[in-house]
Each structure stands twice: as C-alpha cells, then as structure tokens.
Amino acid sequence: MPRLSSATALRGPLFTPEATMSLYPHLLDAIVGSLPPDAWDWISTEADLATIRDEQYDEPTPIEEVKPTIESVLTKDKRGYVVMNLWETEQSYVSQLGVIQKVFRQRLLERGIINETISNLIFAGVEELHMFHVRFMESLQQVVSVDSWSTTESRIGALFVAQKAELIKLYTRFIDNYAISQKSMKQAEKNSEEYQAFMKEMVKLRETNRQSLKDLLILPVQRTTRYHLLLRDLLKCTPAEHPDHEDLEQAWEAMNQLAAMVNEKKRREEEATGLFDAFESTKHCPPTLISHQRRLIMRVEATDKSSKRDIQLVLCSDLLMVTIPARSGVFSRSGTDYAYRFVRWLDILELDVTDLATLETGAVKDCLRITLNPAKRPPELPSQSTPAHDISPSVPKELAAPVLVVQFSGQDAGKNRAGFFLAIQAEMKVRRDACEKERAKAAANAAKADQARADRDA
C-alpha cells in the first residue's frame, strides 16, 4: 500500500481535513484491518445541519382521542363512586353464581358423583337467583352505560323498587333451604370419597377463584346485607331534590328489611339444624328436644370436676342438656356412631351459675358452678329438669347431683368459660323477663275479667 499524507485529504470517522501527519504502511494496514467495512462510506464529517433541523421540527404525530369508559364516567363524584362499587360487585356476584351452577353443579352431575335429587337439595334456589341477577345486571348496565349515565338524572333506586317482590321471594326460598343444603353437603362428604376428591380439586382451580362450595353458597346471604349498605351510602350522596332520592329511600328500606329477614331466617335454620344434630348424635336423647319454640345457643366441651368425666353442655333457649361421650360402636339413628349419651336436662329457670374464676377469694381457674334450685322457677310453670329418679343408674352419681362444677380446658379455656357464662346468663334473663311479662299479662286479664263481672253485677 502506498504511503499516504495529508494531501490525500481523507475524510471519514478517523480523519479530519487538518491531518498533517504521514502514516506508515504497516501501521495503516493494522488500523484499516480493524475498521468495519462501511467505515470508508463517509463522504464528509460535515453534517447537513439544515436536514437535522428539519427532522427535529417535523409536525408531531397526533394523539388518538381516549374513549370514555364506565369507570371514567362514574368516578367523577361520590355518588358515581358508590354506583361504580355496586356495578363491579354485581358483576362479580353474577360470575360467582355462575361458577356454582356451571362448575360445581354441572360437573358433579356429569361425573355421576351426585344424582339429581341430591343436586336439587344442595343447590336449591341457586339457578333462579343466577337467572334473576343476570337480568338485573343487564338493567343496571343500561343505567350506568357511557351514553346513559348522568349523575344528576340517572336513577338506581327504581331498579330495586321494581324488583322488590321478586327479590324477597327468591331469597326467602334460598334461605328456607339453606340448612337442608348444608346438611346434604355434609352427608355427601361423609359418604362419598369421590365427592371429597372433587371438592379438593375445585379449590385449586383459578375458575373457582380457589373458593369452596360452602364459601360460595354463603354469598347470597351476604349480598342482601351488601345491598343495604351500598344503598345507604348512595342515599347519603344523593341530594333530597335528586329524582332518585325518593326511590332510593324506598329501596334502602326494602333491602334493610330483606337483609334482616334473611339473617333471622338463617339464624333460625342454623339453630334448628343444630338441635337436630344434637339429637341425632346423642344416644337416649328425648325427642322432645326438637321444638319450634326452642333455639340452640351453643355446645361446649368441659370436664366435671367431681367425677373427672368429660361432658358436653348443650345450651338451649330454655334448658341446659348435659351429655357424656358415648362408647364407640354404638350407632345413631342415621347409621353413624353416637358421639354422646344423654345424662339430664336442667331448666334454666331453676339455675344459679357462678363464675368461680372471677371470685375474689377461693377462685378456681376456668371453672363454673351450676346449681339446680327449683325454688327459683315461677310456681305456675312446670319444671323441665330431669327428676333424679329418671337419671340412668349407669351415669356417675356426681353428674346427678344438684351442684355441678365444670372446668374448661385447652388453649381457649378462658374464652369458652366466659362465652358460656355470658350466654347462659343472657338466656336466663330473657326467659325470666318473658315469664314476668306473661305473669303481668295474666294479671291484667284477670283484673279485666273481675271488672267485667263487677259491671254485670252492678
């Protein structure tokens, strides 16, 4: 390669017009060999500044207009935020009812794990609720759509007022069958390994949101309370002159009544089911335990301090049932082992209950003293306590005594003792207050009768 000098006027990324040095051939070969192939394509290092300026100041690309969404339309004020919450939770609720129908019920039937009869017991009322809320969601969608919503004109309360009767009918039916549904699920779980495996499989799926069937079936109960709370919040954000205000007041009152009715029915269903379960699991339990006037309050495990025997206390609204664990191999009416054996009933009108753990002197940890005192019962009422001579001879004599000292144990001993003490005290007060009212009513009726006879005689 010939020797190059500045006279050659190379122009490129490594050279400038001011270069005056001469390059030796071998050094130049080394440099040239290390350069990329296109390094000599440069014509000049002088940039066309005008072109750069033109490129820098081209007109910007126009930004596409963002289309409004339901969220952007609703979330402009407090009222819209509440409606947005209603709309989103209704979507989720409809989806969850669909999961109950299409994932749980349909697959259980398709796989032959349960038959149609059991399916109707477990899922009673769910299909009707799902169909109703799909229609309700469509009506709500029309109100909150981008083209329809107006924070000063749109009406939400009217939707609820129009569907009030249907809501009450559907949720009443669902709650009336809720206890049967729970019992049917419990029996299927006990009797079928396929059912157990299916339920374990379902809680692992994304389409169930990893929720169990029991979790999903409680949602209708919770939804009525949610409506009540959402409508209350919406009413607070709605001025009195708003066209939706009057309907919202009616809707809120209706949902308040519906939520109260649903919760009360659920409570009574659970109490009735609890009584039935206590009866079914207790050998020699008198069938009169089952009564529409009786409520199950709670069941707790304890130990009789005198006999050192484990016992179960079943507190009802009018009596206390004492049971002891049954021997294994003794079968109940439903074919399963009896868990307990009946000992006695104690009328709560005849009881004195003392929390020994709270005594200033002689306190006994986690213990209650239950004393049977028939003199406390109003004389006009019959006793419900089991007479001493009717208590089975096989029962330890300490459990037939008029005084029981029961001790709670375990990690929650203190909590269980306090909870049971407060519960039985509350039921004793309610029972005695009811007796006082009945006595006052009877006295008033007797006085009226005496006055009527005196007026006739006069």
Side-chain angles (χ1 to χ4, degrees):
M1 178 179 291
R3 187 176 59 185
L4 299 178
S5 67
S6 60
T8 313
L10 290 175
R11 296 177 181 269
L14 298 178
F15 304 99
T16 66
E18 291 75 22
T20 57
M21 63 175 292
S22 297
L23 299 178
Y24 293 96
H26 297 297
L27 179 60
L28 185 61
D29 287 344
I31 294 175
V32 171
S34 66
L35 294 176
D38 59 351
W40 300 99
D41 293 344
W42 286 53
I43 298 174
S44 173
T45 57
E46 297 177 0
D48 188 346
L49 297 179
T51 303
I52 293 176
R53 283 196 297 269
D54 291 342
E55 290 176 354
Q56 287 179 340
Y57 295 102
D58 282 347
E59 289 295 325
T61 304
I63 300 175
E64 293 184 9
E65 183 180 356
V66 178
K67 295 182 179 180
T69 62
I70 289 179
E71 183 177 1
S72 66
V73 169
L74 289 178
T75 55
K76 293 180 179 179
D77 57 20
K78 290 183 179 180
R79 176 175 159 82
Y81 269 105
V82 178
V83 175
M84 183 71 186
N85 193 357
L86 171 63
W87 179 68
E88 287 181 336
T89 56
E90 188 68 18
Q91 280 186 312
S92 176
Y93 182 49
V94 170
S95 175
Q96 289 165 324
L97 290 175
V99 168
I100 297 175
Q101 280 291 105
K102 297 174 184 178
V103 177
F104 283 93
R105 184 175 192 172
Q106 186 173 320
R107 293 182 189 179
L108 281 168
L109 288 170
E110 287 175 349
R111 299 184 189 183
I113 298 174
I114 61 173
N115 57 34
E116 195 68 41
T117 301
I118 300 300
S119 171
N120 291 337
L121 291 174
I122 293 176
F123 299 97
V126 175
E127 183 177 5
E128 292 83 356
L129 279 176
H130 184 224
M131 293 171 62
F132 168 82
H133 282 281
V134 168
R135 297 193 302 271
F136 186 78
M137 183 66 201
E138 291 172 352
S139 301
L140 182 60
Q141 178 82 30
Q142 292 176 5
V143 176
V144 302
S145 68
V146 171
D147 297 328
S148 302
W149 176 254
S150 167
T151 191
T152 58
E153 298 294 334
S154 295
R155 300 168 64 182
I156 298 295
L159 295 177
F160 287 89
V161 172
Q163 302 296 338
K164 173 185 173 182
E166 188 74 5
L167 278 165
I168 292 174
K169 182 182 79 172
L170 292 175
Y171 279 91
T172 298
R173 186 193 169 201
F174 178 83
I175 293 301
D176 285 343
N177 290 281
Y178 184 77
I180 297 173
S181 170
Q182 298 294 303
K183 187 172 181 63
S184 299
M185 282 194 292
K186 191 179 294 185
Q187 288 179 340
E189 191 171 355
K190 280 185 179 180
N191 301 332
S192 172
E193 292 183 0
E194 275 189 288
Y195 183 90
Q196 296 172 18
F198 175 83
M199 290 303 169
K200 289 179 181 177
E201 175 191 341
M202 291 301 103
V203 296
K204 296 177 182 178
L205 300 181
R206 291 185 63 185
E207 57 189 317
T208 64
N209 200 25
R210 295 173 174 80
Q211 289 180 292
S212 69
L213 180 57
K214 290 180 181 179
D215 294 335
L216 291 169
L217 284 175
I218 196 65
L219 293 177
V221 179
Q222 298 170 340
R223 189 61 184 166
T224 56
T225 302
R226 189 67 178 270
Y227 282 143
H228 159 64
L229 296 175
L230 285 169
L231 289 173
R232 182 197 64 185
D233 292 343
L234 187 57
L235 192 57
K236 289 179 180 178
C237 302
T238 304
E241 63 274 11
H242 195 288
D244 196 26
H245 192 273
E246 185 177 347
D247 285 336
L248 277 177
E249 286 185 323
Q250 295 182 38
W252 175 78
E253 183 62 33
M255 292 304 102
N256 186 25
Q257 293 174 2
L258 177 62
M261 181 271 292
V262 165
N263 289 326
E264 177 64 16
K265 277 183 169 286
K266 178 176 177 291
R267 183 181 66 81
R268 290 192 174 277
E269 284 287 332
E270 289 175 343
E271 289 169 351
T273 303
L275 279 177
F276 187 77
D277 288 343
F279 173 72
E280 282 284 294
S281 63
T282 306
K283 184 182 179 183
H284 301 317
C285 181
T288 49
L289 175 69
I290 308 298
S291 170
H292 70 280
Q293 296 179 332
R294 180 171 292 128
R295 297 178 295 109
L296 176 70
I297 307 303
M298 65 188 307
R299 299 166 68 172
V300 293
E301 306 286 340
T303 301
D304 174 56
K305 200 163 176 60
S306 298
S307 65
K308 309 299 182 185
R309 290 289 300 267
D310 291 335
I311 62 174
Q312 179 193 222
L313 301 174
V314 182
L315 176 61
C316 301
S317 53
D318 59 339
L319 56 82
L320 176 65
M321 182 169 76
V322 182
T323 68
I324 57 177
R327 296 189 303 272
S328 61
V330 181
F331 293 97
S332 69
R333 302 163 187 83
S334 61
T336 58
D337 282 349
Y338 280 114
Y340 302 96
R341 182 158 63 96
F342 178 78
V343 174
R344 67 195 293 196
W345 278 348
L346 299 173
D347 191 328
I348 64 173
L349 287 175
E350 300 177 350
L351 296 182
D352 276 320
V353 182
T354 305
D355 189 350
L356 300 182
T358 60
L359 295 179
E360 292 185 3
T361 58
V364 184
K365 185 179 180 181
D366 297 326
C367 284
L368 298 177
R369 182 173 61 229
I370 302 172
T371 305
L372 182 65
N373 182 5
K376 293 176 67 69
R377 173 178 43 84
E380 68 272 14
L381 293 178
S383 173
Q384 297 188 86
S385 297
T386 305
H389 58 78
D390 285 345
I391 298 175
S392 173
S394 62
V395 170
K397 63 180 182 179
E398 292 89 351
L399 296 180
V403 178
L404 296 175
V405 176
V406 297
Q407 185 167 31
F408 298 83
S409 58
Q411 187 175 1
D412 296 327
K415 178 181 177 182
N416 291 338
R417 184 206 80 247
F420 182 81
F421 179 72
L422 292 174
I424 195 169
Q425 291 286 350
E427 294 305 318
M428 289 163 63
K429 183 178 186 306
V430 169
R431 184 83 170 133
R432 285 171 183 150
D433 288 348
C435 289
E436 287 297 325
K437 287 182 180 179
E438 287 297 323
R439 185 181 294 174
K441 184 178 178 180
N445 290 337
K448 286 183 181 179
D450 290 343
Q451 185 63 43
R453 282 194 295 271
D455 291 343
R456 284 197 303 270
D457 294 342

